[in-house]
Short mmCIF file of all heavy atoms in Angstrom, two decimals:
data_model
loop_
_atom_site.label_atom_id
_atom_site.label_comp_id
_atom_site.label_asym_id
_atom_site.label_seq_id
_atom_site.Cartn_x
_atom_site.Cartn_y
_atom_site.Cartn_z
N MET A 1 114.69 126.25 59.65
CA MET A 1 115.70 127.04 58.95
C MET A 1 115.19 127.42 57.56
O MET A 1 114.32 126.87 57.12
CB MET A 1 117.00 126.23 58.75
CG MET A 1 117.66 125.86 60.04
SD MET A 1 119.43 125.45 59.84
CE MET A 1 119.35 123.78 59.14
N ALA A 2 115.79 128.46 57.12
CA ALA A 2 115.27 129.08 55.86
C ALA A 2 116.46 129.61 55.08
O ALA A 2 117.50 129.97 55.73
CB ALA A 2 114.26 130.19 56.17
N MET A 3 116.30 129.71 53.84
CA MET A 3 117.33 130.26 52.96
C MET A 3 117.48 131.76 53.31
O MET A 3 116.47 132.53 53.34
CB MET A 3 116.94 130.04 51.45
CG MET A 3 118.10 130.54 50.57
SD MET A 3 119.48 129.46 50.47
CE MET A 3 118.78 128.24 49.51
N LEU A 4 118.63 132.22 53.57
CA LEU A 4 118.90 133.67 53.93
C LEU A 4 118.83 134.41 52.68
O LEU A 4 119.36 134.08 51.62
CB LEU A 4 120.16 133.82 54.65
CG LEU A 4 120.39 133.18 55.95
CD1 LEU A 4 121.72 133.51 56.44
CD2 LEU A 4 119.34 133.43 56.96
N MET A 5 118.04 135.59 52.77
CA MET A 5 117.95 136.49 51.72
C MET A 5 118.53 137.86 52.15
O MET A 5 118.37 138.23 53.27
CB MET A 5 116.46 136.75 51.28
CG MET A 5 115.68 135.41 50.98
SD MET A 5 116.01 134.83 49.33
CE MET A 5 115.15 136.04 48.40
N ILE A 6 119.17 138.54 51.21
CA ILE A 6 119.63 139.85 51.54
C ILE A 6 119.06 140.80 50.42
O ILE A 6 118.61 140.31 49.41
CB ILE A 6 121.17 140.05 51.63
CG1 ILE A 6 121.78 139.64 50.24
CG2 ILE A 6 121.74 139.14 52.74
CD1 ILE A 6 123.27 139.98 50.15
N LEU A 7 119.17 142.16 50.62
CA LEU A 7 118.77 143.06 49.64
C LEU A 7 119.95 143.44 48.84
O LEU A 7 120.92 143.95 49.42
CB LEU A 7 118.05 144.28 50.38
CG LEU A 7 117.13 145.01 49.55
CD1 LEU A 7 115.94 144.21 49.11
CD2 LEU A 7 116.63 146.25 50.30
N CYS A 8 119.95 143.30 47.54
CA CYS A 8 120.92 143.71 46.69
C CYS A 8 121.13 145.28 46.83
O CYS A 8 120.19 145.89 46.53
CB CYS A 8 120.69 143.35 45.20
SG CYS A 8 121.83 144.17 44.13
N PRO A 9 122.20 145.68 47.22
CA PRO A 9 122.47 147.21 47.41
C PRO A 9 122.47 147.94 46.12
O PRO A 9 122.25 149.22 46.12
CB PRO A 9 123.83 147.28 48.15
CG PRO A 9 124.55 146.08 47.80
CD PRO A 9 123.55 144.96 47.48
N VAL A 10 122.65 147.30 45.02
CA VAL A 10 122.55 147.99 43.78
C VAL A 10 121.18 148.11 43.19
O VAL A 10 120.65 149.12 42.80
CB VAL A 10 123.53 147.28 42.80
CG1 VAL A 10 123.53 148.00 41.36
CG2 VAL A 10 124.95 147.31 43.32
N LYS A 11 120.50 146.96 43.11
CA LYS A 11 119.13 146.93 42.47
C LYS A 11 118.09 147.04 43.44
O LYS A 11 116.89 147.09 43.14
CB LYS A 11 119.05 145.66 41.70
CG LYS A 11 119.95 145.51 40.55
CD LYS A 11 119.54 146.38 39.38
CE LYS A 11 120.41 146.25 38.14
NZ LYS A 11 120.08 144.92 37.38
N LYS A 12 118.47 146.98 44.80
CA LYS A 12 117.36 147.00 45.85
C LYS A 12 116.40 145.94 45.66
O LYS A 12 115.19 146.12 45.94
CB LYS A 12 116.74 148.37 45.92
CG LYS A 12 117.66 149.56 45.81
CD LYS A 12 118.50 149.65 47.08
CE LYS A 12 119.39 150.97 47.13
NZ LYS A 12 120.30 150.86 48.18
N LYS A 13 116.85 144.72 45.37
CA LYS A 13 115.94 143.57 45.26
C LYS A 13 116.49 142.42 46.05
O LYS A 13 117.73 142.29 46.26
CB LYS A 13 115.90 143.15 43.73
CG LYS A 13 115.13 144.19 42.85
CD LYS A 13 115.04 143.58 41.49
CE LYS A 13 114.22 144.62 40.59
NZ LYS A 13 114.12 144.18 39.16
N PRO A 14 115.59 141.61 46.55
CA PRO A 14 115.99 140.45 47.45
C PRO A 14 116.67 139.39 46.58
O PRO A 14 116.27 139.04 45.47
CB PRO A 14 114.68 139.96 47.99
CG PRO A 14 113.65 140.44 47.09
CD PRO A 14 114.10 141.74 46.48
N VAL A 15 117.80 138.88 47.12
CA VAL A 15 118.50 137.84 46.43
C VAL A 15 118.87 136.77 47.50
O VAL A 15 119.12 137.10 48.71
CB VAL A 15 119.83 138.33 45.83
CG1 VAL A 15 119.56 139.22 44.61
CG2 VAL A 15 120.74 139.05 46.77
N ALA A 16 118.84 135.56 47.08
CA ALA A 16 119.21 134.45 48.01
C ALA A 16 120.67 134.30 48.14
O ALA A 16 121.46 134.45 47.17
CB ALA A 16 118.59 133.11 47.43
N THR A 17 121.16 134.12 49.37
CA THR A 17 122.56 133.93 49.68
C THR A 17 123.00 132.56 49.44
O THR A 17 124.23 132.30 49.36
CB THR A 17 122.88 134.40 51.09
OG1 THR A 17 122.25 133.43 51.93
CG2 THR A 17 122.40 135.81 51.51
N GLY A 18 122.15 131.60 49.35
CA GLY A 18 122.54 130.25 49.26
C GLY A 18 122.78 129.52 50.60
O GLY A 18 123.16 128.35 50.62
N MET A 19 122.71 130.36 51.62
CA MET A 19 122.92 129.80 52.99
C MET A 19 121.59 129.51 53.66
O MET A 19 120.74 130.27 53.71
CB MET A 19 123.79 130.85 53.85
CG MET A 19 125.05 131.03 53.21
SD MET A 19 126.03 132.32 54.10
CE MET A 19 126.42 131.47 55.63
N ASP A 20 121.57 128.28 54.32
CA ASP A 20 120.43 127.84 55.03
C ASP A 20 120.66 127.90 56.49
O ASP A 20 121.30 127.04 57.04
CB ASP A 20 120.10 126.37 54.55
CG ASP A 20 118.63 125.96 54.75
OD1 ASP A 20 117.85 126.86 55.00
OD2 ASP A 20 118.39 124.82 54.76
N MET A 21 120.11 128.88 57.09
CA MET A 21 120.39 129.07 58.54
C MET A 21 119.12 129.63 59.28
O MET A 21 118.26 130.33 58.61
CB MET A 21 121.53 130.00 58.79
CG MET A 21 122.92 129.55 58.50
SD MET A 21 124.15 130.79 58.85
CE MET A 21 125.64 129.78 58.61
N PRO A 22 119.07 129.60 60.55
CA PRO A 22 117.95 130.22 61.32
C PRO A 22 118.15 131.78 61.26
O PRO A 22 119.07 132.31 61.70
CB PRO A 22 118.20 129.77 62.75
CG PRO A 22 119.07 128.60 62.71
CD PRO A 22 119.95 128.86 61.47
N ILE A 23 117.18 132.46 60.55
CA ILE A 23 117.29 133.84 60.26
C ILE A 23 117.42 134.67 61.49
O ILE A 23 118.27 135.61 61.56
CB ILE A 23 115.99 134.27 59.42
CG1 ILE A 23 116.09 133.67 58.03
CG2 ILE A 23 115.93 135.79 59.37
CD1 ILE A 23 114.88 133.89 57.22
N GLU A 24 116.70 134.45 62.54
CA GLU A 24 116.63 135.27 63.74
C GLU A 24 118.03 135.18 64.44
O GLU A 24 118.45 136.14 64.94
CB GLU A 24 115.52 134.85 64.64
CG GLU A 24 114.14 135.24 64.19
CD GLU A 24 114.00 136.73 63.82
OE1 GLU A 24 114.62 137.52 64.53
OE2 GLU A 24 113.32 137.02 62.91
N GLN A 25 118.59 133.92 64.45
CA GLN A 25 119.86 133.90 65.11
C GLN A 25 120.95 134.50 64.31
O GLN A 25 122.03 134.98 64.90
CB GLN A 25 120.22 132.38 65.37
CG GLN A 25 119.27 131.81 66.37
CD GLN A 25 119.56 130.31 66.58
OE1 GLN A 25 120.66 129.96 66.81
NE2 GLN A 25 118.45 129.50 66.67
N VAL A 26 120.88 134.55 63.07
CA VAL A 26 121.81 135.24 62.22
C VAL A 26 121.75 136.75 62.43
O VAL A 26 122.69 137.48 62.70
CB VAL A 26 121.71 134.90 60.73
CG1 VAL A 26 122.65 135.78 59.85
CG2 VAL A 26 121.98 133.38 60.55
N ARG A 27 120.50 137.24 62.34
CA ARG A 27 120.19 138.68 62.60
C ARG A 27 120.72 139.14 63.94
O ARG A 27 121.18 140.28 64.07
CB ARG A 27 118.65 138.91 62.55
CG ARG A 27 118.15 139.09 61.10
CD ARG A 27 116.75 139.49 61.21
NE ARG A 27 116.08 139.67 59.94
CZ ARG A 27 114.79 139.35 59.76
NH1 ARG A 27 114.09 138.85 60.72
NH2 ARG A 27 114.25 139.46 58.49
N SER A 28 120.49 138.43 64.93
CA SER A 28 120.82 138.85 66.32
C SER A 28 122.31 138.60 66.63
O SER A 28 122.75 138.99 67.67
CB SER A 28 119.98 138.07 67.28
OG SER A 28 120.27 136.74 67.30
N GLY A 29 123.04 137.92 65.67
CA GLY A 29 124.44 137.72 65.93
C GLY A 29 124.80 136.56 66.78
O GLY A 29 125.91 136.33 67.07
N GLN A 30 123.82 135.77 67.12
CA GLN A 30 124.05 134.49 67.81
C GLN A 30 124.84 133.51 66.94
O GLN A 30 125.60 132.67 67.47
CB GLN A 30 122.71 133.85 68.27
CG GLN A 30 122.06 134.66 69.43
CD GLN A 30 120.74 134.04 69.79
OE1 GLN A 30 119.73 133.99 68.88
NE2 GLN A 30 120.53 133.59 70.96
N ILE A 31 124.71 133.59 65.67
CA ILE A 31 125.40 132.77 64.72
C ILE A 31 126.46 133.68 64.06
O ILE A 31 126.03 134.70 63.39
CB ILE A 31 124.53 132.07 63.69
CG1 ILE A 31 123.57 131.05 64.41
CG2 ILE A 31 125.30 131.39 62.62
CD1 ILE A 31 122.67 130.40 63.45
N GLN A 32 127.66 133.34 64.15
CA GLN A 32 128.75 134.13 63.52
C GLN A 32 128.89 133.63 62.05
O GLN A 32 129.03 132.44 61.76
CB GLN A 32 130.07 133.99 64.27
CG GLN A 32 130.05 134.63 65.67
CD GLN A 32 129.88 136.10 65.54
OE1 GLN A 32 130.61 136.76 64.80
NE2 GLN A 32 128.93 136.64 66.40
N LEU A 33 128.78 134.56 61.15
CA LEU A 33 128.94 134.20 59.76
C LEU A 33 130.48 134.06 59.42
O LEU A 33 131.22 134.83 59.71
CB LEU A 33 128.32 135.25 58.88
CG LEU A 33 126.79 135.55 59.16
CD1 LEU A 33 126.39 136.82 58.54
CD2 LEU A 33 126.00 134.35 58.57
N THR A 34 130.68 132.98 58.66
CA THR A 34 132.16 132.77 58.17
C THR A 34 132.23 132.93 56.60
O THR A 34 133.31 133.15 56.15
CB THR A 34 132.53 131.26 58.55
OG1 THR A 34 131.61 130.36 58.04
CG2 THR A 34 132.60 131.17 60.13
N ASN A 35 131.18 132.72 55.92
CA ASN A 35 131.24 132.87 54.48
C ASN A 35 130.12 133.84 54.06
O ASN A 35 129.13 133.44 53.51
CB ASN A 35 131.04 131.50 53.78
CG ASN A 35 131.11 131.66 52.27
OD1 ASN A 35 131.74 132.52 51.78
ND2 ASN A 35 130.62 130.70 51.58
N ASN A 36 130.40 135.12 54.39
CA ASN A 36 129.30 136.11 54.14
C ASN A 36 129.50 136.99 52.92
O ASN A 36 129.16 138.14 53.03
CB ASN A 36 129.10 136.95 55.42
CG ASN A 36 130.32 137.59 55.84
OD1 ASN A 36 131.43 137.24 55.48
ND2 ASN A 36 130.16 138.69 56.52
N THR A 37 130.09 136.50 51.79
CA THR A 37 130.19 137.20 50.61
C THR A 37 129.37 136.51 49.57
O THR A 37 129.56 135.32 49.34
CB THR A 37 131.68 137.21 50.15
OG1 THR A 37 132.48 137.88 51.14
CG2 THR A 37 131.83 137.94 48.84
N LEU A 38 128.54 137.25 49.02
CA LEU A 38 127.70 136.79 47.85
C LEU A 38 128.42 137.09 46.59
O LEU A 38 128.56 138.31 46.31
CB LEU A 38 126.27 137.37 47.96
CG LEU A 38 125.42 137.08 46.80
CD1 LEU A 38 124.99 135.62 46.83
CD2 LEU A 38 124.15 137.92 46.91
N ALA A 39 128.82 136.01 45.90
CA ALA A 39 129.64 136.31 44.64
C ALA A 39 128.62 136.23 43.46
O ALA A 39 127.67 135.46 43.44
CB ALA A 39 130.65 135.25 44.41
N ASN A 40 128.88 137.12 42.46
CA ASN A 40 128.00 137.10 41.28
C ASN A 40 126.54 137.19 41.65
O ASN A 40 125.74 136.29 41.29
CB ASN A 40 128.33 135.85 40.46
CG ASN A 40 129.73 135.74 40.03
OD1 ASN A 40 130.35 136.75 39.58
ND2 ASN A 40 130.31 134.54 40.12
N CYS A 41 126.28 138.29 42.28
CA CYS A 41 124.87 138.53 42.65
C CYS A 41 123.92 138.34 41.41
O CYS A 41 124.23 138.90 40.34
CB CYS A 41 124.73 140.10 43.16
SG CYS A 41 123.09 140.70 43.30
N PRO A 42 122.88 137.60 41.55
CA PRO A 42 122.10 137.40 40.45
C PRO A 42 121.33 138.63 39.86
O PRO A 42 120.79 138.58 38.76
CB PRO A 42 120.91 136.29 40.98
CG PRO A 42 121.03 136.40 42.43
CD PRO A 42 122.49 136.99 42.76
N GLU A 43 121.24 139.61 40.73
CA GLU A 43 120.61 140.89 40.24
C GLU A 43 121.57 141.87 39.53
O GLU A 43 121.19 142.43 38.50
CB GLU A 43 119.97 141.67 41.44
CG GLU A 43 118.69 140.92 41.97
CD GLU A 43 117.48 141.04 40.99
OE1 GLU A 43 117.57 141.87 40.04
OE2 GLU A 43 116.60 140.20 41.17
N CYS A 44 122.79 141.90 39.97
CA CYS A 44 123.67 142.96 39.41
C CYS A 44 125.03 142.39 39.01
O CYS A 44 125.78 143.11 38.40
CB CYS A 44 123.91 144.09 40.47
SG CYS A 44 124.79 143.61 41.86
N GLY A 45 125.34 141.18 39.45
CA GLY A 45 126.59 140.51 38.95
C GLY A 45 127.82 140.85 39.78
O GLY A 45 128.88 140.43 39.47
N GLN A 46 127.61 141.74 40.75
CA GLN A 46 128.71 142.10 41.63
C GLN A 46 128.89 141.17 42.81
O GLN A 46 128.02 140.25 43.05
CB GLN A 46 128.57 143.52 42.09
CG GLN A 46 128.58 144.51 40.93
CD GLN A 46 128.45 145.94 41.49
OE1 GLN A 46 128.99 146.39 42.59
NE2 GLN A 46 127.82 146.80 40.63
N ASN A 47 129.87 141.35 43.60
CA ASN A 47 130.07 140.59 44.92
C ASN A 47 129.52 141.55 46.00
O ASN A 47 129.85 142.71 46.05
CB ASN A 47 131.48 140.29 45.09
CG ASN A 47 131.98 139.30 43.98
OD1 ASN A 47 131.25 138.73 43.26
ND2 ASN A 47 133.32 139.10 43.90
N HIS A 48 128.78 140.94 46.93
CA HIS A 48 128.36 141.77 48.10
C HIS A 48 128.80 141.01 49.36
O HIS A 48 128.57 139.81 49.58
CB HIS A 48 126.83 141.82 48.14
CG HIS A 48 126.19 142.40 46.87
ND1 HIS A 48 126.67 143.52 46.35
CD2 HIS A 48 125.22 142.00 46.07
CE1 HIS A 48 125.91 143.90 45.25
NE2 HIS A 48 125.07 142.91 45.08
N THR A 49 129.43 141.78 50.28
CA THR A 49 129.71 141.26 51.59
C THR A 49 128.60 141.74 52.51
O THR A 49 128.22 142.91 52.50
CB THR A 49 131.06 141.76 52.17
OG1 THR A 49 132.04 141.35 51.18
CG2 THR A 49 131.39 141.17 53.50
N TRP A 50 127.97 140.76 53.23
CA TRP A 50 126.79 141.09 54.06
C TRP A 50 127.06 140.63 55.48
O TRP A 50 127.95 139.91 55.71
CB TRP A 50 125.61 140.60 53.36
CG TRP A 50 125.69 139.11 53.12
CD1 TRP A 50 126.31 138.41 52.06
CD2 TRP A 50 125.15 138.04 53.98
NE1 TRP A 50 126.14 137.13 52.18
CE2 TRP A 50 125.51 136.73 53.35
CE3 TRP A 50 124.54 137.93 55.17
CZ2 TRP A 50 125.17 135.54 53.93
CZ3 TRP A 50 124.30 136.67 55.69
CH2 TRP A 50 124.56 135.54 55.04
N SER A 51 126.14 141.20 56.31
CA SER A 51 126.15 140.87 57.63
C SER A 51 124.75 140.49 58.14
O SER A 51 123.78 140.65 57.45
CB SER A 51 126.78 141.85 58.59
OG SER A 51 125.96 143.06 58.50
N GLY A 52 124.66 140.05 59.40
CA GLY A 52 123.37 139.57 59.89
C GLY A 52 122.28 140.72 59.80
O GLY A 52 121.08 140.28 59.51
N LYS A 53 122.66 141.91 60.01
CA LYS A 53 121.71 142.95 59.94
C LYS A 53 121.21 143.18 58.52
O LYS A 53 120.22 143.89 58.32
CB LYS A 53 122.24 144.23 60.55
CG LYS A 53 123.32 144.91 59.79
CD LYS A 53 123.89 146.13 60.54
CE LYS A 53 124.96 146.96 59.76
NZ LYS A 53 126.04 146.07 59.49
N ASP A 54 121.89 142.66 57.44
CA ASP A 54 121.39 142.86 56.06
C ASP A 54 120.33 141.76 55.70
O ASP A 54 119.76 141.82 54.67
CB ASP A 54 122.63 142.72 55.20
CG ASP A 54 123.63 143.88 55.44
OD1 ASP A 54 123.23 144.96 55.63
OD2 ASP A 54 124.85 143.56 55.41
N VAL A 55 120.16 140.79 56.50
CA VAL A 55 119.22 139.65 56.22
C VAL A 55 117.84 140.19 56.26
O VAL A 55 117.46 140.89 57.22
CB VAL A 55 119.44 138.56 57.25
CG1 VAL A 55 118.45 137.43 56.93
CG2 VAL A 55 120.89 137.93 57.09
N ILE A 56 117.11 139.92 55.23
CA ILE A 56 115.68 140.40 55.14
C ILE A 56 114.74 139.27 55.41
O ILE A 56 115.05 138.13 55.31
CB ILE A 56 115.37 141.02 53.81
CG1 ILE A 56 115.66 140.11 52.64
CG2 ILE A 56 116.22 142.32 53.67
CD1 ILE A 56 115.24 140.62 51.30
ZN1 ZN B 1 123.60 142.88 43.74
#
C-alpha cells in the first residue's frame, strides 16, 4: 500500500491525501472511497473532493 496522492487542481502540484490504500485498486474503482475530501490542501488551503481517477 502507499499513501495516495492527488494533483491539487489549483496549484497543479501533488499533495498527499493522508489515505493509505492500494493505488491501483482505488484508480480502477475496486475500492470505493468513503472519505474522499481533502480538507485544507497544503498547496492552496482549499478543500478538494477527489475520486479514484484523480489519484496520481
Ligand atoms: Zn489545492
Side-chain angles (χ1 to χ4, degrees):
M1 294 200 287
M3 185 75 77
L4 297 182
M5 306 281 290
I6 61 169
L7 203 62
C8 169
V10 178
K11 296 288 186 72
K12 312 294 186 191
K13 291 184 178 177
V15 290
T17 63
M19 295 177 72
D20 198 17
M21 286 183 171
I23 290 173
E24 290 304 326
Q25 291 180 46
V26 173
R27 273 188 186 145
S28 65
Q30 290 176 297
I31 293 178
Q32 293 295 312
L33 300 165
T34 55
N35 180 22
N36 58 339
T37 298
L38 175 67
N40 299 317
C41 169
E43 287 292 342
C44 71
Q46 298 182 31
N47 297 345
H48 304 311
T49 301
W50 53 278
S51 62
K53 65 181 185 301
D54 298 317
V55 175
I56 57 174

